[in-house]
Amino acid sequence: MNAYDAAHELARALSCSPEYLEFKAAREELKKDPEAERMLKDLRAKQLEVEALRLSGKSSEEAEKQLENLFNVVSYHSGIKKYLEAESRFLVLMADIQRIIARAVDLDDWR
């Protein structure tokens, strides 16, 4: 089988997977709530800020506390919670597939 054909077949399988369909539905539902979208955007921005501080070696204790507080607030919103859970399941699927492919072409030894 041609690698491109297999990639297209995998893409079709992913687009029909329960993980993706649930993620897509949760994303569409979230788009209907501008306040929830703003809250999620704020959470993502704070996550990036904390990660940048960690990578730079700077103290991120205050930013981490802010992130934790923001996450606690956001987690009470059922739409955002559902979205984050669906996103997590879909990302696990994608990571598993990436690991399978990496093993097949001996890229897993590079870590």
Side-chain angles (χ1 to χ4, degrees):
M1 175 181 267
N2 177 310
Y4 288 103
D5 292 339
H8 287 288
E9 186 175 332
L10 175 59
R12 283 189 295 277
L14 282 170
S15 70
C16 296
S17 71
E19 295 86 353
Y20 174 71
L21 293 174
E22 184 182 351
F23 173 61
K24 183 179 175 183
R27 183 176 58 200
E28 291 303 315
E29 213 37 53
L30 197 64
K31 285 181 180 180
K32 296 176 185 176
D33 185 348
E35 180 65 18
E37 282 190 299
R38 185 196 58 74
M39 291 170 66
L40 182 60
K41 184 177 179 181
D42 291 347
L43 177 66
R44 297 291 193 214
K46 185 56 74 174
Q47 286 173 320
L48 288 173
E49 178 187 332
V50 167
E51 188 60 27
L53 286 170
R54 284 182 189 149
L55 291 173
S56 70
K58 296 179 182 171
S59 175
S60 60
E61 196 171 306
E62 180 62 29
E64 286 181 29
K65 183 68 173 165
Q66 290 173 354
L67 176 60
E68 183 180 333
N69 290 339
L70 185 56
F71 186 79
N72 287 335
V73 169
V74 165
S75 68
Y76 285 106
H77 189 288
S78 62
I80 296 173
K81 184 177 180 180
K82 183 177 179 180
Y83 172 83
L84 291 173
E85 289 170 351
E87 178 187 55
S88 177
R89 284 187 289 278
F90 181 64
L91 291 175
V92 166
L93 173 64
M94 294 296 289
D96 289 347
I97 290 169
Q98 185 176 14
R99 265 191 300 283
I100 291 166
I101 293 169
R103 281 188 202 121
V105 293
D106 294 326
L107 290 179
D108 60 334
D109 292 340
W110 288 36
R111 293 182 202 178

